[in-house]
Amino acid sequence: MKLDLQTLSAIFAELTAVLGALLLFSWTLNRKVQALAWWGAAYLLVLTALGIVLLAGGKASINALLLGNCFLALAYGVLYGGCCVFNGRVATVQAVTAGVVLWCLASLLILDDANMRVIVVSAICAAYSGFSAWELARRARHPLASRAVAVGLLCCLVVFNIFRGTVGFSLALAFWMALPDERWSGPMAFAMATFMPTLAFVFLSMAKEQLEWEYKQAALVDSLTGIPNRRAFFEKASALVAQRTAVSCLLFDLDNFKAINDRFGHEAGDHVLVIFARILAEHLPRGVFARLGGEEFAAMVPLGGADAEALANGIRRAFSSVDKIAQGARIDVTVSAGCATGTDATVERLLREADSALYRAKAEGRNAVASFRSAEG
């Protein structure tokens, strides 16, 4: 079956409408990914731009062309805004509408020059496509497989708009008149009718990957302190133990923590836990550490016994010296730690040995660090 240019243009318009609605519908199902709403709006703005010219018929007035290109420039600005929002950044009004403002100002100078109008609007769309690709490529928050595909497609959109500005291709007018170069019009219309659903599919894939990544991270992070939880600790500690011949396990437990909860309340106790988690993260910015549960924390470090014990003492002293104020009252609380070092040991064994050392630190007066001693020692 042979598809003429008008049929391809009609398919493009219908696809744009359906895809815009699909992206918006996906956003309503999960509003955490707000970028879907932006991208859906961008598709519908493209449809609006197309519709303005189509409704004007084959003899579209200059006003219809100018207004249609305003919506097209805005569509690309919203596309860029969606990429910013996807990366957790703010999409400013100035950045999103800069293309529209530039088009309105430029159109005053090139009102009677059809070729220059196509060149200018194509340049604006190419610039926004390039900025969108840059945004996704350079400001990514998380590693996503579909992101690379989206960047590639947006780069293709840059090339398309450059080509459009060069040959004067206009998909909207394809409904009503033969274009200057029939060699390119049909293939370009077909390419865009294929490109638009592909880009929408990749946007949906990115949103799905993003949600899956966030759910996975949520399963590995302690909701109170914001540091890794027990599950994450065992995963990362096992990997570290497998890579190193000698590692040390540090097990921390806040002293008399139940008394703090009884006297000051659980809110104050939670505040103290958050403070210790912050100190632990400061001393081990790239290390393996976690809250195991309650007032118990653990760390796995690629250090020998003496160095690991020195590190534990540094964390203990930092926690003792920091101010711990909750509900207007100063809370005096300390931490004890047990240290166990092993070669070719399992995480479970090092934790047991560190727990034994921790028990001895508690028995010897608390606010102390003790190292594991074997039965032979």
Side-chain angles (χ1 to χ4, degrees), residues 294-334:
E295 67 273 22
E296 193 173 62
F297 297 78
M300 193 73 71
V301 292
L303 299 173
D307 291 335
E309 187 171 338
L311 175 61
N313 267 309
I315 295 172
R316 178 188 61 80
R317 286 191 294 268
F319 183 64
S320 298
S321 62
V322 71
D323 288 335
K324 295 175 278 292
I325 308 296
Q327 299 176 348
R330 177 182 176 84
I331 302 175
D332 293 320
V333 58
T334 57

Side-chain angles (χ1 to χ4, degrees), residues 21 53 111 179 181 226 288:
V53 179
L111 191 62
L179 296 177
D181 195 339
V288 178

